[in-house]
Amino acid sequence: MKKLLLFWVMFGVLVSMSSSVLAVDQGLEVTIGQDIHLLITPDTVDFGTRVPGTGYSALNGPITFDATGSNVDVTVTVSAVTGFPFDSATLLLDGDSTPVGKSWLLPCKTPLTVCTYDVASTVPTLDIPAGASQGNHVGTITYTVTGPTPL
């Protein structure tokens, strides 16, 4: 009888211990900010050795803009072109002789999960004016990269 009583007491203790386990939910929240990654290639646009003339294509073009890794729509705008002969309306991007202000929109294709992007590109050509001095000439294209205005 004592064994039976001891069994019922132990069983009661086990049942009471197992019924004290509770499930509790905890909420999760995060605010993800803008994250813009932009790869512009090639690093240097090379037109090679040329004589004065028009319509010279880059040897390593086109220029490409890849926003993979970003999480918003990305806009790339040419804000300046410097260095002779590039800065005097002789550098053309897709045939446009006024590259400053030219822009490309790289939209986020799947804004509710992970953004994917198409790579944008432009074909650079160079006109070298008659009488241009010989030698190596360097210049720079400066881009302004922006995302949407934060809310």
Side-chain angles (χ1 to χ4, degrees):
M1 191 62 136
K2 283 186 179 182
K3 287 183 181 181
L4 186 58
L5 180 60
L6 182 61
F7 170 76
W8 285 112
V9 169
M10 292 303 290
F11 181 73
V13 168
L14 284 175
V15 169
S16 68
M17 285 178 50
S18 65
S19 66
S20 65
V21 176
L22 300 174
V24 177
D25 291 336
Q26 179 180 31
L28 301 171
E29 182 178 327
V30 65
T31 300
I32 299 174
Q34 289 187 14
D35 189 16
I36 296 176
H37 298 262
L38 184 68
L39 176 63
I40 301 174
T41 56
D43 288 336
T44 300
V45 180
D46 183 6
F47 288 98
T49 301
R50 307 291 186 162
V51 296
T54 61
Y56 293 117
S57 296
L59 301 176
N60 59 344
I63 299 169
T64 61
F65 308 100
D66 185 354
T68 299
S70 301
N71 65 358
V72 293
D73 294 344
V74 176
T75 302
V76 181
T77 305
V78 176
S79 52
V81 177
T82 59
F84 177 82
F86 312 102
D87 60 352
S88 55
T90 58
L91 175 67
L92 290 77
L93 298 177
D94 292 333
D96 187 346
S97 63
T98 53
V100 174
K102 188 166 180 60
S103 65
W104 298 265
L105 174 64
L106 291 90
C108 168
K109 289 183 166 182
T110 320
L112 298 179
T113 56
V114 176
C115 290
T116 59
Y117 299 87
D118 289 332
V119 174
S121 66
T122 185
V123 176
T125 55
L126 181 64
D127 294 342
I128 301 173
S133 62
Q134 69 177 7
N136 188 44
H137 297 277
V138 295
T140 304
I141 302 174
T142 303
Y143 299 97
T144 301
V145 180
T146 59
T149 304
L151 300 174

